[in-house]
Amino acid sequence: QVQLVESGGGLVQPGGSLRLSCVASGIIFSPTNMGWYRQAPGKQRELVAVSSYGGIKSYLDSVKGRFTVTRDDTKDTVYLQMNSLKPEDTAVYYCYLQYRGDDYWGQGAQVTVSS
């Protein structure tokens, strides 16, 4: 059974930084894709960043240059380093993993950017 456990959310002031971590368990092979989605109140869930097994990374336009997704396949972990945070980045962030044709999600981590 694949499970994802996230950590690292919280409250930060505009311009600050946070790092989210997500550890996967129950997997044997390296996931095809690992990354992060987010959902703000009243909005649809959107893809923030994803890293493929081959090292290709994609980002939401509004976070390019501020967020960095990395994965450590030796630890079955994916990270999201978020810098220069803005109030509009406030959302619940969900870890995402694509593994053997199926999609898996973490429980969500609240990120609030406010002064």
Side-chain angles (χ1 to χ4, degrees), residues 19-62:
R19 189 175 84 152
L20 301 178
S21 300
C22 174
V23 181
S25 61
I27 61 176
I28 300 174
F29 306 103
S30 293
T32 304
N33 291 307
M34 300 183 78
W36 299 87
Y37 280 71
R38 70 185 181 187
Q39 188 167 19
K43 295 187 177 181
Q44 290 187 331
R45 190 174 294 191
E46 60 183 358
L47 176 64
V48 177
V50 63
S51 176
S52 74
Y53 178 70
I56 298 172
K57 299 181 181 182
S58 298
Y59 295 93
L60 182 67
D61 283 346
S62 62

Side-chain angles (χ1 to χ4, degrees), residues 67-108:
F67 291 11
T68 303
V69 61
T70 56
R71 56 188 285 176
D72 184 343
D73 288 312
T74 65
K75 299 180 180 179
D76 295 330
T77 301
V78 62
Y79 306 94
L80 185 67
Q81 178 66 43
M82 303 183 290
N83 298 328
S84 302
L85 282 160
K86 303 176 180 181
E88 52 264 43
D89 295 318
T90 295
V92 178
Y93 284 71
Y94 296 90
C95 175
Y96 163 74
L97 181 153
Q98 188 179 56
Y99 180 68
R100 304 190 73 177
D102 292 324
D103 296 335
Y104 300 89
W105 302 89
Q107 79 282 5

